[in-house]
PDB file of all heavy atoms in Angstrom:
ATOM      1  N   ARG K   1     -16.352 -45.664 149.364  1.00 95.00           N
ATOM      2  CA  ARG K   1     -16.156 -45.169 148.005  1.00 95.00           C
ATOM      3  C   ARG K   1     -17.439 -44.574 147.441  1.00 95.00           C
ATOM      4  O   ARG K   1     -17.429 -43.490 146.840  1.00 95.00           O
ATOM      5  CB  ARG K   1     -15.653 -46.307 147.112  1.00 95.00           C
ATOM      6  CG  ARG K   1     -15.175 -45.852 145.747  1.00 95.00           C
ATOM      7  CD  ARG K   1     -14.751 -47.023 144.883  1.00 95.00           C
ATOM      8  NE  ARG K   1     -15.918 -47.585 144.240  1.00 95.00           N
ATOM      9  CZ  ARG K   1     -16.199 -48.875 144.167  1.00 95.00           C
ATOM     10  NH1 ARG K   1     -15.395 -49.764 144.690  1.00 95.00           N
ATOM     11  NH2 ARG K   1     -17.288 -49.295 143.558  1.00 95.00           N
ATOM     12  N   VAL K   2     -18.555 -45.245 147.652  1.00 96.00           N
ATOM     13  CA  VAL K   2     -19.837 -44.739 147.138  1.00 96.00           C
ATOM     14  C   VAL K   2     -20.232 -43.454 147.865  1.00 96.00           C
ATOM     15  O   VAL K   2     -20.680 -42.489 147.226  1.00 96.00           O
ATOM     16  CB  VAL K   2     -20.940 -45.818 147.249  1.00 96.00           C
ATOM     17  CG1 VAL K   2     -22.310 -45.238 146.941  1.00 96.00           C
ATOM     18  CG2 VAL K   2     -20.631 -46.978 146.298  1.00 96.00           C
ATOM     19  N   ALA K   3     -20.049 -43.406 149.171  1.00 97.00           N
ATOM     20  CA  ALA K   3     -20.374 -42.186 149.927  1.00 97.00           C
ATOM     21  C   ALA K   3     -19.502 -41.017 149.469  1.00 97.00           C
ATOM     22  O   ALA K   3     -19.984 -39.898 149.294  1.00 97.00           O
ATOM     23  CB  ALA K   3     -20.199 -42.434 151.427  1.00 97.00           C
ATOM     24  N   LEU K   4     -18.220 -41.278 149.258  1.00 98.00           N
ATOM     25  CA  LEU K   4     -17.302 -40.242 148.783  1.00 98.00           C
ATOM     26  C   LEU K   4     -17.716 -39.745 147.403  1.00 98.00           C
ATOM     27  O   LEU K   4     -17.835 -38.540 147.168  1.00 98.00           O
ATOM     28  CB  LEU K   4     -15.874 -40.799 148.736  1.00 98.00           C
ATOM     29  CG  LEU K   4     -14.790 -39.874 148.190  1.00 98.00           C
ATOM     30  CD1 LEU K   4     -14.575 -38.696 149.129  1.00 98.00           C
ATOM     31  CD2 LEU K   4     -13.492 -40.654 147.990  1.00 98.00           C
ATOM     32  N   GLY K   5     -17.943 -40.659 146.499  1.00 98.00           N
ATOM     33  CA  GLY K   5     -18.332 -40.292 145.136  1.00 98.00           C
ATOM     34  C   GLY K   5     -19.648 -39.536 145.104  1.00 98.00           C
ATOM     35  O   GLY K   5     -19.783 -38.530 144.394  1.00 98.00           O
ATOM     36  N   PHE K   6     -20.614 -39.988 145.874  1.00 98.00           N
ATOM     37  CA  PHE K   6     -21.917 -39.335 145.902  1.00 98.00           C
ATOM     38  C   PHE K   6     -21.807 -37.914 146.450  1.00 98.00           C
ATOM     39  O   PHE K   6     -22.394 -36.978 145.910  1.00 98.00           O
ATOM     40  CB  PHE K   6     -22.912 -40.157 146.732  1.00 98.00           C
ATOM     41  CG  PHE K   6     -24.296 -39.591 146.738  1.00 98.00           C
ATOM     42  CD1 PHE K   6     -25.096 -39.678 145.612  1.00 98.00           C
ATOM     43  CD2 PHE K   6     -24.806 -38.958 147.853  1.00 98.00           C
ATOM     44  CE1 PHE K   6     -26.380 -39.146 145.593  1.00 98.00           C
ATOM     45  CE2 PHE K   6     -26.088 -38.417 147.851  1.00 98.00           C
ATOM     46  CZ  PHE K   6     -26.874 -38.514 146.723  1.00 98.00           C
ATOM     47  N   THR K   7     -21.021 -37.753 147.511  1.00 98.00           N
ATOM     48  CA  THR K   7     -20.841 -36.425 148.104  1.00 98.00           C
ATOM     49  C   THR K   7     -20.227 -35.460 147.100  1.00 98.00           C
ATOM     50  O   THR K   7     -20.692 -34.330 146.942  1.00 98.00           O
ATOM     51  CB  THR K   7     -19.968 -36.516 149.375  1.00 98.00           C
ATOM     52  OG1 THR K   7     -20.603 -37.397 150.301  1.00 98.00           O
ATOM     53  CG2 THR K   7     -19.771 -35.157 150.012  1.00 98.00           C
ATOM     54  N   PHE K   8     -19.195 -35.902 146.399  1.00 98.00           N
ATOM     55  CA  PHE K   8     -18.568 -35.031 145.406  1.00 98.00           C
ATOM     56  C   PHE K   8     -19.499 -34.778 144.225  1.00 98.00           C
ATOM     57  O   PHE K   8     -19.542 -33.668 143.688  1.00 98.00           O
ATOM     58  CB  PHE K   8     -17.223 -35.590 144.948  1.00 98.00           C
ATOM     59  CG  PHE K   8     -16.095 -35.103 145.797  1.00 98.00           C
ATOM     60  CD1 PHE K   8     -15.637 -35.853 146.868  1.00 98.00           C
ATOM     61  CD2 PHE K   8     -15.504 -33.882 145.548  1.00 98.00           C
ATOM     62  CE1 PHE K   8     -14.608 -35.396 147.667  1.00 98.00           C
ATOM     63  CE2 PHE K   8     -14.473 -33.408 146.344  1.00 98.00           C
ATOM     64  CZ  PHE K   8     -14.032 -34.169 147.409  1.00 98.00           C
ATOM     65  N   PHE K   9     -20.230 -35.786 143.801  1.00 98.00           N
ATOM     66  CA  PHE K   9     -21.182 -35.613 142.705  1.00 98.00           C
ATOM     67  C   PHE K   9     -22.198 -34.521 143.048  1.00 98.00           C
ATOM     68  O   PHE K   9     -22.458 -33.621 142.243  1.00 98.00           O
ATOM     69  CB  PHE K   9     -21.891 -36.937 142.403  1.00 98.00           C
ATOM     70  CG  PHE K   9     -23.004 -36.803 141.414  1.00 98.00           C
ATOM     71  CD1 PHE K   9     -22.729 -36.626 140.062  1.00 98.00           C
ATOM     72  CD2 PHE K   9     -24.331 -36.841 141.816  1.00 98.00           C
ATOM     73  CE1 PHE K   9     -23.764 -36.491 139.141  1.00 98.00           C
ATOM     74  CE2 PHE K   9     -25.357 -36.711 140.908  1.00 98.00           C
ATOM     75  CZ  PHE K   9     -25.079 -36.534 139.566  1.00 98.00           C
ATOM     76  N   ILE K  10     -22.758 -34.577 144.249  1.00 97.00           N
ATOM     77  CA  ILE K  10     -23.739 -33.572 144.678  1.00 97.00           C
ATOM     78  C   ILE K  10     -23.102 -32.186 144.735  1.00 97.00           C
ATOM     79  O   ILE K  10     -23.686 -31.200 144.271  1.00 97.00           O
ATOM     80  CB  ILE K  10     -24.361 -33.956 146.040  1.00 97.00           C
ATOM     81  CG1 ILE K  10     -25.183 -35.246 145.911  1.00 97.00           C
ATOM     82  CG2 ILE K  10     -25.200 -32.821 146.604  1.00 97.00           C
ATOM     83  CD1 ILE K  10     -26.340 -35.174 144.925  1.00 97.00           C
ATOM     84  N   HIS K  11     -21.895 -32.092 145.258  1.00 96.00           N
ATOM     85  CA  HIS K  11     -21.213 -30.793 145.321  1.00 96.00           C
ATOM     86  C   HIS K  11     -20.945 -30.245 143.923  1.00 96.00           C
ATOM     87  O   HIS K  11     -21.063 -29.040 143.689  1.00 96.00           O
ATOM     88  CB  HIS K  11     -19.917 -30.895 146.133  1.00 96.00           C
ATOM     89  CG  HIS K  11     -20.137 -30.809 147.596  1.00 96.00           C
ATOM     90  ND1 HIS K  11     -19.875 -29.683 148.328  1.00 96.00           N
ATOM     91  CD2 HIS K  11     -20.629 -31.714 148.481  1.00 96.00           C
ATOM     92  CE1 HIS K  11     -20.190 -29.891 149.590  1.00 96.00           C
ATOM     93  NE2 HIS K  11     -20.654 -31.125 149.708  1.00 96.00           N
ATOM     94  N   GLY K  12     -20.590 -31.117 142.986  1.00 97.00           N
ATOM     95  CA  GLY K  12     -20.389 -30.692 141.601  1.00 97.00           C
ATOM     96  C   GLY K  12     -21.688 -30.207 140.980  1.00 97.00           C
ATOM     97  O   GLY K  12     -21.717 -29.166 140.304  1.00 97.00           O
ATOM     98  N   CYS K  13     -22.773 -30.937 141.227  1.00 97.00           N
ATOM     99  CA  CYS K  13     -24.093 -30.508 140.721  1.00 97.00           C
ATOM    100  C   CYS K  13     -24.450 -29.127 141.252  1.00 97.00           C
ATOM    101  O   CYS K  13     -24.919 -28.262 140.502  1.00 97.00           O
ATOM    102  CB  CYS K  13     -25.178 -31.501 141.144  1.00 97.00           C
ATOM    103  SG  CYS K  13     -25.201 -33.033 140.237  1.00 97.00           S
ATOM    104  N   LEU K  14     -24.235 -28.921 142.531  1.00 95.00           N
ATOM    105  CA  LEU K  14     -24.579 -27.638 143.149  1.00 95.00           C
ATOM    106  C   LEU K  14     -23.782 -26.483 142.555  1.00 95.00           C
ATOM    107  O   LEU K  14     -24.313 -25.380 142.393  1.00 95.00           O
ATOM    108  CB  LEU K  14     -24.375 -27.702 144.660  1.00 95.00           C
ATOM    109  CG  LEU K  14     -25.343 -28.609 145.422  1.00 95.00           C
ATOM    110  CD1 LEU K  14     -24.937 -28.729 146.883  1.00 95.00           C
ATOM    111  CD2 LEU K  14     -26.770 -28.106 145.296  1.00 95.00           C
ATOM    112  N   LYS K  15     -22.529 -26.737 142.221  1.00 94.00           N
ATOM    113  CA  LYS K  15     -21.709 -25.678 141.624  1.00 94.00           C
ATOM    114  C   LYS K  15     -22.309 -25.225 140.294  1.00 94.00           C
ATOM    115  O   LYS K  15     -22.342 -24.036 139.986  1.00 94.00           O
ATOM    116  CB  LYS K  15     -20.276 -26.150 141.424  1.00 94.00           C
ATOM    117  CG  LYS K  15     -19.457 -26.088 142.688  1.00 94.00           C
ATOM    118  CD  LYS K  15     -18.036 -26.512 142.444  1.00 94.00           C
ATOM    119  CE  LYS K  15     -17.215 -26.429 143.703  1.00 94.00           C
ATOM    120  NZ  LYS K  15     -17.708 -27.176 144.829  1.00 94.00           N
ATOM    121  N   PHE K  16     -22.778 -26.165 139.498  1.00 94.00           N
ATOM    122  CA  PHE K  16     -23.329 -25.816 138.189  1.00 94.00           C
ATOM    123  C   PHE K  16     -24.772 -25.332 138.281  1.00 94.00           C
ATOM    124  O   PHE K  16     -25.168 -24.428 137.552  1.00 94.00           O
ATOM    125  CB  PHE K  16     -23.197 -26.989 137.222  1.00 94.00           C
ATOM    126  CG  PHE K  16     -21.780 -27.216 136.788  1.00 94.00           C
ATOM    127  CD1 PHE K  16     -21.038 -28.261 137.299  1.00 94.00           C
ATOM    128  CD2 PHE K  16     -21.168 -26.351 135.892  1.00 94.00           C
ATOM    129  CE1 PHE K  16     -19.719 -28.457 136.917  1.00 94.00           C
ATOM    130  CE2 PHE K  16     -19.851 -26.533 135.494  1.00 94.00           C
ATOM    131  CZ  PHE K  16     -19.124 -27.591 136.018  1.00 94.00           C
ATOM    132  N   GLN K  17     -25.568 -25.904 139.176  1.00 94.00           N
ATOM    133  CA  GLN K  17     -26.958 -25.462 139.334  1.00 94.00           C
ATOM    134  C   GLN K  17     -27.041 -24.055 139.885  1.00 94.00           C
ATOM    135  O   GLN K  17     -27.915 -23.285 139.502  1.00 94.00           O
ATOM    136  CB  GLN K  17     -27.728 -26.422 140.241  1.00 94.00           C
ATOM    137  CG  GLN K  17     -28.045 -27.735 139.586  1.00 94.00           C
ATOM    138  CD  GLN K  17     -28.739 -28.698 140.536  1.00 94.00           C
ATOM    139  OE1 GLN K  17     -28.767 -28.513 141.745  1.00 94.00           O
ATOM    140  NE2 GLN K  17     -29.307 -29.743 139.969  1.00 94.00           N
ATOM    141  N   GLY K  18     -26.144 -23.715 140.795  1.00 80.00           N
ATOM    142  CA  GLY K  18     -26.145 -22.379 141.378  1.00 80.00           C
ATOM    143  C   GLY K  18     -25.520 -21.351 140.455  1.00 80.00           C
ATOM    144  O   GLY K  18     -25.516 -20.161 140.757  1.00 80.00           O
ATOM    145  N   GLY K  19     -25.018 -21.802 139.337  1.00 89.00           N
ATOM    146  CA  GLY K  19     -24.338 -20.917 138.404  1.00 89.00           C
ATOM    147  C   GLY K  19     -22.859 -20.954 138.674  1.00 89.00           C
ATOM    148  O   GLY K  19     -22.393 -20.477 139.708  1.00 89.00           O
ATOM    149  N   ILE K  20     -22.113 -21.525 137.748  1.00 95.00           N
ATOM    150  CA  ILE K  20     -20.673 -21.675 137.940  1.00 95.00           C
ATOM    151  C   ILE K  20     -20.010 -20.310 138.078  1.00 95.00           C
ATOM    152  O   ILE K  20     -18.975 -20.180 138.728  1.00 95.00           O
ATOM    153  CB  ILE K  20     -20.042 -22.527 136.811  1.00 95.00           C
ATOM    154  CG1 ILE K  20     -18.651 -23.036 137.203  1.00 95.00           C
ATOM    155  CG2 ILE K  20     -20.024 -21.779 135.508  1.00 95.00           C
ATOM    156  CD1 ILE K  20     -18.633 -24.051 138.298  1.00 95.00           C
ATOM    157  N   GLU K  21     -20.658 -19.266 137.527  1.00 95.00           N
ATOM    158  CA  GLU K  21     -20.064 -17.936 137.665  1.00 95.00           C
ATOM    159  C   GLU K  21     -20.067 -17.469 139.111  1.00 95.00           C
ATOM    160  O   GLU K  21     -19.167 -16.735 139.528  1.00 95.00           O
ATOM    161  CB  GLU K  21     -20.687 -16.896 136.764  1.00 95.00           C
ATOM    162  CG  GLU K  21     -22.080 -16.860 136.269  1.00 95.00           C
ATOM    163  CD  GLU K  21     -22.854 -18.065 135.808  1.00 95.00           C
ATOM    164  OE1 GLU K  21     -22.476 -18.754 134.867  1.00 95.00           O
ATOM    165  OE2 GLU K  21     -23.906 -18.282 136.405  1.00 95.00           O
ATOM    166  N   ASN K  22     -21.047 -17.914 139.894  1.00 95.00           N
ATOM    167  CA  ASN K  22     -21.062 -17.585 141.331  1.00 95.00           C
ATOM    168  C   ASN K  22     -19.896 -18.266 142.050  1.00 95.00           C
ATOM    169  O   ASN K  22     -19.246 -17.666 142.905  1.00 95.00           O
ATOM    170  CB  ASN K  22     -22.380 -17.999 141.977  1.00 95.00           C
ATOM    171  CG  ASN K  22     -23.554 -17.199 141.465  1.00 95.00           C
ATOM    172  OD1 ASN K  22     -23.395 -16.055 141.043  1.00 95.00           O
ATOM    173  ND2 ASN K  22     -24.728 -17.795 141.485  1.00 95.00           N
ATOM    174  N   THR K  23     -19.655 -19.518 141.692  1.00 94.00           N
ATOM    175  CA  THR K  23     -18.533 -20.240 142.284  1.00 94.00           C
ATOM    176  C   THR K  23     -17.220 -19.600 141.846  1.00 94.00           C
ATOM    177  O   THR K  23     -16.295 -19.450 142.652  1.00 94.00           O
ATOM    178  CB  THR K  23     -18.578 -21.733 141.883  1.00 94.00           C
ATOM    179  OG1 THR K  23     -19.847 -22.272 142.264  1.00 94.00           O
ATOM    180  CG2 THR K  23     -17.477 -22.524 142.563  1.00 94.00           C
ATOM    181  N   ALA K  24     -17.133 -19.210 140.581  1.00 96.00           N
ATOM    182  CA  ALA K  24     -15.919 -18.556 140.077  1.00 96.00           C
ATOM    183  C   ALA K  24     -15.670 -17.249 140.833  1.00 96.00           C
ATOM    184  O   ALA K  24     -14.526 -16.952 141.208  1.00 96.00           O
ATOM    185  CB  ALA K  24     -16.039 -18.299 138.579  1.00 96.00           C
ATOM    186  N   ALA K  25     -16.733 -16.495 141.075  1.00 96.00           N
ATOM    187  CA  ALA K  25     -16.590 -15.236 141.823  1.00 96.00           C
ATOM    188  C   ALA K  25     -16.106 -15.514 143.246  1.00 96.00           C
ATOM    189  O   ALA K  25     -15.264 -14.782 143.774  1.00 96.00           O
ATOM    190  CB  ALA K  25     -17.919 -14.484 141.847  1.00 96.00           C
ATOM    191  N   PHE K  26     -16.620 -16.576 143.860  1.00 93.00           N
ATOM    192  CA  PHE K  26     -16.164 -16.943 145.206  1.00 93.00           C
ATOM    193  C   PHE K  26     -14.687 -17.313 145.181  1.00 93.00           C
ATOM    194  O   PHE K  26     -13.916 -16.893 146.052  1.00 93.00           O
ATOM    195  CB  PHE K  26     -17.003 -18.092 145.765  1.00 93.00           C
ATOM    196  CG  PHE K  26     -16.501 -18.607 147.082  1.00 93.00           C
ATOM    197  CD1 PHE K  26     -16.577 -17.821 148.225  1.00 93.00           C
ATOM    198  CD2 PHE K  26     -15.942 -19.867 147.185  1.00 93.00           C
ATOM    199  CE1 PHE K  26     -16.099 -18.288 149.448  1.00 93.00           C
ATOM    200  CE2 PHE K  26     -15.463 -20.344 148.390  1.00 93.00           C
ATOM    201  CZ  PHE K  26     -15.546 -19.546 149.531  1.00 93.00           C
ATOM    202  N   PHE K  27     -14.271 -18.098 144.196  1.00 95.00           N
ATOM    203  CA  PHE K  27     -12.862 -18.475 144.083  1.00 95.00           C
ATOM    204  C   PHE K  27     -11.993 -17.226 143.973  1.00 95.00           C
ATOM    205  O   PHE K  27     -10.923 -17.156 144.568  1.00 95.00           O
ATOM    206  CB  PHE K  27     -12.645 -19.372 142.860  1.00 95.00           C
ATOM    207  CG  PHE K  27     -12.902 -20.841 143.101  1.00 95.00           C
ATOM    208  CD1 PHE K  27     -13.956 -21.288 143.871  1.00 95.00           C
ATOM    209  CD2 PHE K  27     -12.080 -21.796 142.538  1.00 95.00           C
ATOM    210  CE1 PHE K  27     -14.194 -22.631 144.085  1.00 95.00           C
ATOM    211  CE2 PHE K  27     -12.299 -23.145 142.735  1.00 95.00           C
ATOM    212  CZ  PHE K  27     -13.355 -23.571 143.510  1.00 95.00           C
TER     213      PHE K  27
END
């Protein structure tokens, strides 16, 4: 559970740090 949560937390951070507009463009 902790490994799963941590992995998703980091992925969420990266989406916002890299600029959510970049992720939106990829989507």
Side-chain angles (χ1 to χ4, degrees):
R1 191 183 84 226
V2 171
L4 177 67
F6 184 73
T7 301
F8 270 95
F9 173 74
I10 295 300
H11 278 257
C13 285
L14 292 173
K15 280 182 179 56
F16 288 104
Q17 287 177 346
I20 197 68
E21 29 320 300
N22 293 333
T23 304
F26 174 68
F27 275 40

